[in-house]
Amino acid sequence: MSGGTFVGMPAFPEAAHEAVGNTTLRANLRHATHTIRDKRARAVAELDDWAELREAGRRVKDHTLRHLDRYLVQLEESVVRAGGTVHWAADADEANRIVTALVKATGESEVVKVKSMATQEIGLNEALEAEGIHAYETDLAELIVQLGHDRPSHILVPAIHRNRGEIRDIFAKEMAGWGRPAPENLTDSPAELAEAARLHLREKFLRAKVGISGANFMVAETGTLVVVESEGNGRMCLTLPETLISVVGIEKTIPTWRDLEIFLQTLPRSSTAERMNPYTSMWTGAGDAATAEGPSTFHLVLLDNGRTDTLADEVGRQALRCIRCSACLNVCPVYERAGGHAYGSVYPGPIGAILSPQLRGTQSEIDASLPYASSLCGACYEVCPVAIDIPEVLVHLRERIVQGGEVTRQGVKVTLKPAKGHAAERAAMRAAGLAFARPGALRAGQRIASRTRRLHPRTLPGPGRAWSATRDLPKLPPEPFRDWWQRTRGGRSGSTTEGNDA
């Protein structure tokens, strides 16, 4: 990865075009997303006050973002008071330097990791590897991705693009090179695959002296960090090592302990379709070395990496409400067909289409294409448990990309040039604006278009060919609506003529 972007990734349309040709991938995605979305719908329907919970979550997040400076200071004070150490990282490079130095200070060359999108965002595993430190993923899906030398393709289920047969082959081929080998004659039974992973990871849990995590929430009031998970691997990483390093985006802050009541209801139902997560781990500062209760050393790395710049955008900032439930991915018709890799980011799907271009900027080809990776159907907004209006932000980002303008990146104002490839679109919009402002010219153009309709091509020429390659151009009527209205309703009697086709 480079700057959060998968190296060598083309723009979304090209990557998606390749992905939709993979029938195995499409079958895996279709089965998984439909199963998850149906279970989620049933879990949400159990709560009569779901709409109120959704609104409450939105309000808490918006309030926190408006006063984030104050709550971050409170969070730091609370963590330090509980025996932890807080580090501030402006970008990915700084965060990686901090974590690498902390691990080196322990003298260890191995770490175990809880599933963390923030560490994936900054490319921490690669940074550690460059310094001779091996990071072992312990989440089952993340383990599959790591053993398969692959990339995550889903927020909740990173290996959603793999089926059981593929997972069995990965375990049989790769596990021995990372530790305990897979059992002989391993089948694709879910129980056998889970047991193979458990035995493989148990050795690492018992040996590791350093754990690295993210967090779903950080409570400013108490300095408590919260991780919700379904497997128990997170609990092992958070309690067994002597040193725990948590890398968390600053937007994960919430003001009070009581605010957790909302999100511990909405997150499980929206993500795993459970009433509550099997494992909800909370820790406040460092553990007690005398009683061996939890890590004796705790470091919290607060990550900005474009979040402050995103916060400055009044429309785009709502993306920072995201609680990483993945509900938007499971209902998105584009994600279902293209998969997560086409987004070129650890944040795929609708939320990735608005979050990645804001965190990374829209200077690269892939980031400039992501706001167009949507049909704007609105299904993502309907299921979002914190009411992020993703279609609104998509349109907002499209406008920014087409028009260019001035934005702030890392505290420096940057002028964005209008995106390439939109010249014809801008020219067409200007021409349309001129025509609509002149009724006579519009009427004349409509008449000419109707009278020459037999000569019209089936597809658009030039840059418009990409749009019409998968769409039929609408057929023009024999006469413009204005002329039809004048002919049928413009007479003295005001009567209509039977049988006319508009």
Side-chain angles (χ1 to χ4, degrees), residues 28-336:
N28 293 346
L29 289 171
R30 182 170 57 253
H31 172 73
T33 55
H34 283 230
T35 299
I36 297 171
R37 83 167 68 154
D38 292 343
K39 289 175 61 179
R40 176 203 171 274
R42 291 193 294 271
V44 167
E46 293 178 350
L47 296 182
D48 294 334
D49 61 345
W50 178 260
E52 289 78 9
L53 283 169
R54 184 178 189 241
E55 176 62 15
R58 182 192 70 79
R59 288 174 178 268
V60 168
K61 281 289 189 176
D62 280 350
H63 168 79
T64 309
L65 291 172
R66 283 196 301 271
H67 304 284
L68 190 56
D69 53 346
R70 172 160 58 90
Y71 286 121
L72 285 173
V73 170
Q74 183 183 11
L75 174 68
E76 180 183 31
E77 293 172 348
S78 299
V79 171
V80 171
R81 189 164 52 248
T85 304
V86 176
H87 310 262
W88 298 80
D91 54 26
D93 290 339
E94 186 173 10
N96 287 332
R97 286 195 300 271
I98 292 171
V99 176
T100 301
L102 291 173
V103 176
K104 283 186 172 182
T106 67
E108 296 296 317
S109 60
E110 294 183 343
V111 301
V112 289
K113 289 185 65 202
V114 187
K115 179 177 180 291
S116 164
M117 302 205 72
T119 60
Q120 292 171 351
E121 174 190 327
I122 64 177
L124 179 60
N125 286 10
E126 293 81 3
L128 292 173
E129 191 68 32
E131 296 295 327
I133 301 169
H134 300 287
Y136 297 108
E137 299 290 351
T138 64
D139 174 82
L140 177 57
E142 289 288 356
L143 174 66
I144 295 166
V145 169
Q146 187 175 47
L147 292 177
H149 308 285
D150 203 350
R151 301 190 303 268
S153 63
H154 192 276
I155 289 177
L156 177 67
V157 194
I160 196 172
H161 56 289
R162 297 290 193 182
N163 58 38
R164 291 183 299 174
E166 292 173 314
I167 295 169
R168 176 201 58 208
D169 294 343
I170 289 172
F171 281 8
K173 180 181 178 181
E174 300 290 344
M175 268 189 171
W178 291 75
R180 180 175 179 138
E184 294 185 8
N185 303 317
L186 180 67
T187 72
D188 64 357
S189 161
E192 287 193 29
L193 294 174
E195 179 65 8
R198 189 187 71 83
L199 294 173
H200 178 82
L201 291 172
R202 180 62 56 128
E203 293 183 350
K204 295 179 171 38
F205 288 136
L206 296 177
R207 186 174 67 232
K209 302 295 184 183
V210 180
I212 296 178
S213 82
N216 294 97
F217 307 102
M218 300 184 293
V219 182
E221 179 182 44
T222 60
T224 303
L225 275 69
V226 184
V227 163
V228 294
E229 41 126 0
S230 300
E231 300 171 12
N233 64 294
R235 181 70 57 84
M236 302 283 276
C237 287
L238 297 169
T239 56
L240 292 180
E242 297 173 0
T243 298
L244 175 62
I245 304 168
S246 298
V247 182
V248 191
I250 56 176
E251 83 282 9
K252 296 297 186 69
T253 307
I254 57 174
T256 69
W257 182 268
R258 186 173 182 178
D259 295 324
L260 280 174
E261 176 188 357
I262 301 167
F263 301 109
L264 292 183
Q265 294 184 75
T266 56
L267 178 56
R269 291 175 188 267
S270 288
S271 56
T272 56
E274 296 169 300
R275 295 181 180 91
M276 67 180 293
N277 286 90
Y279 297 89
T280 301
S281 300
M282 303 181 185
W283 67 101
T284 306
D288 188 341
T291 60
E293 292 183 355
S296 57
T297 304
F298 171 61
H299 296 274
L300 172 60
V301 181
L302 293 172
L303 177 68
D304 189 321
N305 204 37
R307 286 159 174 78
T308 300
D309 299 333
T310 303
L311 190 60
D313 187 325
E314 293 185 2
V315 177
R317 70 173 59 154
Q318 59 185 296
L320 297 178
R321 291 185 210 146
C322 179
I323 57 175
R324 310 291 192 266
C325 70
S326 79
C328 61
L329 281 71
N330 299 323
V331 299
C332 177
V334 177
Y335 174 86
E336 180 185 323

